[in-house]
PDB file of all heavy atoms in Angstrom:
ATOM      1  N   ALA M 154     -40.455  -4.616  25.080  1.00  0.00           N
ATOM      2  CA  ALA M 154     -40.287  -3.168  25.214  1.00  0.00           C
ATOM      3  C   ALA M 154     -38.815  -2.812  25.084  1.00  0.00           C
ATOM      4  O   ALA M 154     -37.961  -3.425  25.720  1.00  0.00           O
ATOM      5  CB  ALA M 154     -40.824  -2.703  26.552  1.00  0.00           C
ATOM      6  N   GLY M 155     -38.511  -1.865  24.212  1.00  0.00           N
ATOM      7  CA  GLY M 155     -37.143  -1.410  24.011  1.00  0.00           C
ATOM      8  C   GLY M 155     -36.297  -2.302  23.131  1.00  0.00           C
ATOM      9  O   GLY M 155     -35.147  -1.979  22.833  1.00  0.00           O
ATOM     10  N   GLU M 156     -36.830  -3.418  22.660  1.00  0.00           N
ATOM     11  CA  GLU M 156     -36.062  -4.367  21.854  1.00  0.00           C
ATOM     12  C   GLU M 156     -36.106  -3.998  20.375  1.00  0.00           C
ATOM     13  O   GLU M 156     -37.093  -3.461  19.883  1.00  0.00           O
ATOM     14  CB  GLU M 156     -36.614  -5.785  22.058  1.00  0.00           C
ATOM     15  CG  GLU M 156     -35.804  -6.856  21.369  1.00  0.00           C
ATOM     16  CD  GLU M 156     -36.378  -8.248  21.609  1.00  0.00           C
ATOM     17  OE1 GLU M 156     -37.550  -8.384  21.981  1.00  0.00           O
ATOM     18  OE2 GLU M 156     -35.625  -9.211  21.401  1.00  0.00           O
ATOM     19  N   THR M 157     -35.019  -4.322  19.667  1.00  0.00           N
ATOM     20  CA  THR M 157     -34.905  -4.060  18.240  1.00  0.00           C
ATOM     21  C   THR M 157     -34.799  -5.374  17.480  1.00  0.00           C
ATOM     22  O   THR M 157     -34.106  -6.290  17.913  1.00  0.00           O
ATOM     23  CB  THR M 157     -33.662  -3.193  17.952  1.00  0.00           C
ATOM     24  OG1 THR M 157     -33.815  -1.937  18.635  1.00  0.00           O
ATOM     25  CG2 THR M 157     -33.487  -2.932  16.467  1.00  0.00           C
ATOM     26  N   HIS M 158     -35.498  -5.454  16.343  1.00  0.00           N
ATOM     27  CA  HIS M 158     -35.374  -6.576  15.411  1.00  0.00           C
ATOM     28  C   HIS M 158     -34.840  -6.018  14.092  1.00  0.00           C
ATOM     29  O   HIS M 158     -35.055  -4.848  13.763  1.00  0.00           O
ATOM     30  CB  HIS M 158     -36.714  -7.265  15.208  1.00  0.00           C
ATOM     31  CG  HIS M 158     -37.038  -8.251  16.285  1.00  0.00           C
ATOM     32  ND1 HIS M 158     -37.054  -7.936  17.617  1.00  0.00           N
ATOM     33  CD2 HIS M 158     -37.351  -9.560  16.219  1.00  0.00           C
ATOM     34  CE1 HIS M 158     -37.370  -9.002  18.328  1.00  0.00           C
ATOM     35  NE2 HIS M 158     -37.558 -10.012  17.497  1.00  0.00           N
ATOM     36  N   TYR M 159     -34.177  -6.866  13.336  1.00  0.00           N
ATOM     37  CA  TYR M 159     -33.449  -6.439  12.143  1.00  0.00           C
ATOM     38  C   TYR M 159     -34.035  -7.114  10.910  1.00  0.00           C
ATOM     39  O   TYR M 159     -34.349  -8.300  10.932  1.00  0.00           O
ATOM     40  CB  TYR M 159     -31.971  -6.775  12.316  1.00  0.00           C
ATOM     41  CG  TYR M 159     -31.428  -6.158  13.587  1.00  0.00           C
ATOM     42  CD1 TYR M 159     -31.432  -6.850  14.792  1.00  0.00           C
ATOM     43  CD2 TYR M 159     -30.966  -4.848  13.581  1.00  0.00           C
ATOM     44  CE1 TYR M 159     -30.976  -6.272  15.967  1.00  0.00           C
ATOM     45  CE2 TYR M 159     -30.507  -4.257  14.757  1.00  0.00           C
ATOM     46  CZ  TYR M 159     -30.518  -4.976  15.936  1.00  0.00           C
ATOM     47  OH  TYR M 159     -30.078  -4.387  17.090  1.00  0.00           O
ATOM     48  N   VAL M 160     -34.155  -6.348   9.820  1.00  0.00           N
ATOM     49  CA  VAL M 160     -34.819  -6.843   8.619  1.00  0.00           C
ATOM     50  C   VAL M 160     -33.869  -6.764   7.428  1.00  0.00           C
ATOM     51  O   VAL M 160     -33.248  -5.722   7.185  1.00  0.00           O
ATOM     52  CB  VAL M 160     -36.096  -6.030   8.320  1.00  0.00           C
ATOM     53  CG1 VAL M 160     -36.816  -6.568   7.101  1.00  0.00           C
ATOM     54  CG2 VAL M 160     -37.019  -5.997   9.537  1.00  0.00           C
ATOM     55  N   THR M 161     -33.760  -7.882   6.691  1.00  0.00           N
ATOM     56  CA  THR M 161     -33.035  -7.884   5.423  1.00  0.00           C
ATOM     57  C   THR M 161     -34.065  -7.916   4.295  1.00  0.00           C
ATOM     58  O   THR M 161     -35.196  -8.366   4.485  1.00  0.00           O
ATOM     59  CB  THR M 161     -32.088  -9.104   5.302  1.00  0.00           C
ATOM     60  OG1 THR M 161     -32.852 -10.304   5.335  1.00  0.00           O
ATOM     61  CG2 THR M 161     -31.052  -9.101   6.421  1.00  0.00           C
ATOM     62  N   VAL M 162     -33.667  -7.444   3.127  1.00  0.00           N
ATOM     63  CA  VAL M 162     -34.558  -7.408   1.971  1.00  0.00           C
ATOM     64  C   VAL M 162     -33.863  -8.102   0.811  1.00  0.00           C
ATOM     65  O   VAL M 162     -32.710  -7.797   0.496  1.00  0.00           O
ATOM     66  CB  VAL M 162     -34.900  -5.952   1.567  1.00  0.00           C
ATOM     67  CG1 VAL M 162     -35.796  -5.927   0.332  1.00  0.00           C
ATOM     68  CG2 VAL M 162     -35.538  -5.201   2.721  1.00  0.00           C
ATOM     69  N   SER M 163     -34.570  -9.040   0.175  1.00  0.00           N
ATOM     70  CA  SER M 163     -34.056  -9.720  -1.015  1.00  0.00           C
ATOM     71  C   SER M 163     -35.007  -9.457  -2.170  1.00  0.00           C
ATOM     72  O   SER M 163     -36.227  -9.560  -2.021  1.00  0.00           O
ATOM     73  CB  SER M 163     -33.957 -11.228  -0.778  1.00  0.00           C
ATOM     74  OG  SER M 163     -33.078 -11.501   0.266  1.00  0.00           O
ATOM     75  N   VAL M 164     -34.440  -9.111  -3.313  1.00  0.00           N
ATOM     76  CA  VAL M 164     -35.216  -8.845  -4.522  1.00  0.00           C
ATOM     77  C   VAL M 164     -34.777  -9.842  -5.577  1.00  0.00           C
ATOM     78  O   VAL M 164     -33.585  -9.976  -5.857  1.00  0.00           O
ATOM     79  CB  VAL M 164     -34.992  -7.400  -5.033  1.00  0.00           C
ATOM     80  CG1 VAL M 164     -35.816  -7.133  -6.275  1.00  0.00           C
ATOM     81  CG2 VAL M 164     -35.298  -6.390  -3.943  1.00  0.00           C
ATOM     82  N   ASP M 165     -35.738 -10.539  -6.174  1.00  0.00           N
ATOM     83  CA  ASP M 165     -35.461 -11.538  -7.208  1.00  0.00           C
ATOM     84  C   ASP M 165     -36.257 -11.165  -8.450  1.00  0.00           C
ATOM     85  O   ASP M 165     -37.481 -11.240  -8.452  1.00  0.00           O
ATOM     86  CB  ASP M 165     -35.857 -12.927  -6.712  1.00  0.00           C
ATOM     87  CG  ASP M 165     -35.526 -14.030  -7.710  1.00  0.00           C
ATOM     88  OD1 ASP M 165     -35.166 -13.719  -8.865  1.00  0.00           O
ATOM     89  OD2 ASP M 165     -35.647 -15.207  -7.325  1.00  0.00           O
ATOM     90  N   THR M 166     -35.555 -10.746  -9.492  1.00  0.00           N
ATOM     91  CA  THR M 166     -36.233 -10.338 -10.719  1.00  0.00           C
ATOM     92  C   THR M 166     -36.131 -11.408 -11.803  1.00  0.00           C
ATOM     93  O   THR M 166     -36.402 -11.133 -12.972  1.00  0.00           O
ATOM     94  CB  THR M 166     -35.653  -9.006 -11.252  1.00  0.00           C
ATOM     95  OG1 THR M 166     -34.267  -9.194 -11.544  1.00  0.00           O
ATOM     96  CG2 THR M 166     -35.854  -7.891 -10.244  1.00  0.00           C
ATOM     97  N   THR M 167     -35.764 -12.633 -11.421  1.00  0.00           N
ATOM     98  CA  THR M 167     -35.713 -13.734 -12.376  1.00  0.00           C
ATOM     99  C   THR M 167     -37.108 -13.960 -12.948  1.00  0.00           C
ATOM    100  O   THR M 167     -38.077 -14.098 -12.214  1.00  0.00           O
ATOM    101  CB  THR M 167     -35.227 -15.028 -11.686  1.00  0.00           C
ATOM    102  OG1 THR M 167     -33.995 -14.751 -11.024  1.00  0.00           O
ATOM    103  CG2 THR M 167     -35.042 -16.149 -12.679  1.00  0.00           C
ATOM    104  N   GLY M 168     -37.219 -13.959 -14.254  1.00  0.00           N
ATOM    105  CA  GLY M 168     -38.510 -14.178 -14.895  1.00  0.00           C
ATOM    106  C   GLY M 168     -39.372 -12.938 -14.992  1.00  0.00           C
ATOM    107  O   GLY M 168     -40.524 -13.013 -15.423  1.00  0.00           O
ATOM    108  N   VAL M 169     -38.859 -11.782 -14.601  1.00  0.00           N
ATOM    109  CA  VAL M 169     -39.607 -10.528 -14.675  1.00  0.00           C
ATOM    110  C   VAL M 169     -38.962  -9.676 -15.753  1.00  0.00           C
ATOM    111  O   VAL M 169     -37.738  -9.534 -15.801  1.00  0.00           O
ATOM    112  CB  VAL M 169     -39.577  -9.794 -13.309  1.00  0.00           C
ATOM    113  CG1 VAL M 169     -40.274  -8.462 -13.403  1.00  0.00           C
ATOM    114  CG2 VAL M 169     -40.204 -10.656 -12.235  1.00  0.00           C
ATOM    115  N   ASP M 170     -39.777  -9.101 -16.643  1.00  0.00           N
ATOM    116  CA  ASP M 170     -39.169  -8.309 -17.724  1.00  0.00           C
ATOM    117  C   ASP M 170     -38.723  -6.934 -17.233  1.00  0.00           C
ATOM    118  O   ASP M 170     -39.099  -6.488 -16.156  1.00  0.00           O
ATOM    119  CB  ASP M 170     -40.115  -8.204 -18.927  1.00  0.00           C
ATOM    120  CG  ASP M 170     -41.374  -7.414 -18.645  1.00  0.00           C
ATOM    121  OD1 ASP M 170     -41.285  -6.317 -18.066  1.00  0.00           O
ATOM    122  OD2 ASP M 170     -42.468  -7.896 -19.020  1.00  0.00           O
ATOM    123  N   ASN M 171     -37.929  -6.277 -18.048  1.00  0.00           N
ATOM    124  CA  ASN M 171     -37.303  -5.003 -17.674  1.00  0.00           C
ATOM    125  C   ASN M 171     -38.277  -3.854 -17.491  1.00  0.00           C
ATOM    126  O   ASN M 171     -37.900  -2.816 -16.955  1.00  0.00           O
ATOM    127  CB  ASN M 171     -36.245  -4.605 -18.703  1.00  0.00           C
ATOM    128  CG  ASN M 171     -35.024  -5.499 -18.633  1.00  0.00           C
ATOM    129  OD1 ASN M 171     -34.826  -6.207 -17.648  1.00  0.00           O
ATOM    130  ND2 ASN M 171     -34.226  -5.488 -19.687  1.00  0.00           N
ATOM    131  N   SER M 172     -39.506  -3.992 -17.905  1.00  0.00           N
ATOM    132  CA  SER M 172     -40.464  -2.908 -17.725  1.00  0.00           C
ATOM    133  C   SER M 172     -41.329  -3.117 -16.481  1.00  0.00           C
ATOM    134  O   SER M 172     -42.253  -2.342 -16.234  1.00  0.00           O
ATOM    135  CB  SER M 172     -41.354  -2.778 -18.965  1.00  0.00           C
ATOM    136  OG  SER M 172     -42.127  -3.959 -19.128  1.00  0.00           O
ATOM    137  N   SER M 173     -41.037  -4.135 -15.687  1.00  0.00           N
ATOM    138  CA  SER M 173     -41.847  -4.441 -14.504  1.00  0.00           C
ATOM    139  C   SER M 173     -41.599  -3.444 -13.384  1.00  0.00           C
ATOM    140  O   SER M 173     -40.535  -2.840 -13.281  1.00  0.00           O
ATOM    141  CB  SER M 173     -41.539  -5.855 -14.000  1.00  0.00           C
ATOM    142  OG  SER M 173     -41.878  -6.800 -14.961  1.00  0.00           O
ATOM    143  N   ASP M 174     -42.598  -3.310 -12.524  1.00  0.00           N
ATOM    144  CA  ASP M 174     -42.514  -2.431 -11.370  1.00  0.00           C
ATOM    145  C   ASP M 174     -42.836  -3.248 -10.118  1.00  0.00           C
ATOM    146  O   ASP M 174     -43.903  -3.837 -10.008  1.00  0.00           O
ATOM    147  CB  ASP M 174     -43.517  -1.287 -11.523  1.00  0.00           C
ATOM    148  CG  ASP M 174     -43.399  -0.228 -10.452  1.00  0.00           C
ATOM    149  OD1 ASP M 174     -42.608  -0.398  -9.493  1.00  0.00           O
ATOM    150  OD2 ASP M 174     -44.119   0.781 -10.535  1.00  0.00           O
TER     151      ASP M 174
END
Side-chain angles (χ1 to χ4, degrees):
E156 185 179 19
T157 299
H158 277 55
Y159 305 91
V160 182
T161 62
V162 178
S163 299
V164 181
D165 183 350
T166 61
T167 307
V169 176
D170 66 47
N171 289 344
S172 64
S173 297
D174 187 354

